[in-house]
Amino acid sequence: MQLTTMHQEEWTKVAPYVDTLCLPVYRLFLSEKQIHLEERRIVEAVAERVERALTGRLLLLPAIAYEGGDREAFRAYLSSVLAELVRSAFHHFVVILPEELAEAAEDRGKITVHPLPVREEATEEEIDEWAEALQERIVGLWQGVSDENASGEES
């Protein structure tokens, strides 16, 4: 389910079953009249694939675009947004963002940060792999499996 396409009456019906929020975050590069969209494409594609696979328990929030200026101001803003989300009744919050922004948010409590190796010309196969890895991580959260245990099982 995507917040951007949901109506209030639909939310009222599904709200009891949704326990996870997913927040995509990406950088927006503007140069003259050039807009570089690859990072947005990758982050949103992964988020949308995860949302489709986990529909029923996960709500995809609108993305936050960071224009690349004051890094500390962005970190403070993102921290404020996450603090507000944590005060809500949801159990899990997953932040999807490029590796280069990963230090702007940190895993703590109900917040799970999932950095993506964003690069130019990522293939659909790579995006599918990244989405599948995130889906598995979220299901692990639902099952109470910590990331340390999950990564240890893969070795």
Side-chain angles (χ1 to χ4, degrees):
M1 293 163 290
Q2 296 185 22
L3 185 63
T4 57
T5 61
M6 186 170 285
H7 297 285
Q8 186 63 48
E9 56 276 358
E10 182 183 2
W11 174 246
T12 303
K13 291 177 187 174
V14 300
Y17 309 104
V18 177
D19 65 354
T20 305
L21 296 179
C22 182
L23 177 64
V25 178
Y26 55 83
R27 293 175 298 180
L28 183 61
F29 297 102
L30 301 169
S31 173
E32 301 286 322
K33 283 194 130 181
Q34 299 298 312
I35 302 175
H36 304 277
L37 300 172
E38 187 65 8
E39 191 166 287
R40 180 208 54 84
R41 181 185 76 83
I42 293 168
V43 170
E44 288 193 351
V46 169
E48 289 169 1
R49 283 169 171 81
V50 169
E51 179 271 327
R52 278 193 304 273
L54 302 178
T55 292
R57 284 190 67 180
L58 182 137
L59 178 63
L60 180 58
L61 298 174
I64 293 177
Y66 165 61
E67 52 73 37
D70 185 343
R71 193 78 158 217
E72 285 306 312
F74 171 69
R75 181 178 289 134
Y77 172 70
L78 185 57
S79 180
S80 172
V81 168
L82 294 174
E84 193 62 35
L85 292 174
V86 167
R87 285 192 279 276
S88 69
F90 295 92
H91 299 286
H92 306 284
F93 303 93
V94 177
V95 181
I96 305 171
L97 70 178
E99 289 174 331
E100 292 80 12
L101 291 180
E103 84 283 348
E106 60 185 46
D107 286 352
R108 64 180 187 275
K110 300 192 276 185
I111 299 171
T112 300
V113 177
H114 191 82
L116 294 176
V118 175
R119 59 182 168 273
E120 292 295 316
E121 307 290 330
T123 66
E124 290 300 311
E125 292 79 21
E126 288 175 311
I127 292 171
D128 287 339
E129 288 174 19
W130 298 332
E132 188 173 317
L134 179 53
Q135 290 168 34
E136 290 173 7
R137 189 172 183 197
I138 293 170
V139 170
L141 291 171
W142 293 342
Q143 295 172 342
V145 177
S146 71
D147 281 339
E148 295 81 29
N149 291 343
S151 63
E153 292 172 2
E154 294 174 0
S155 300

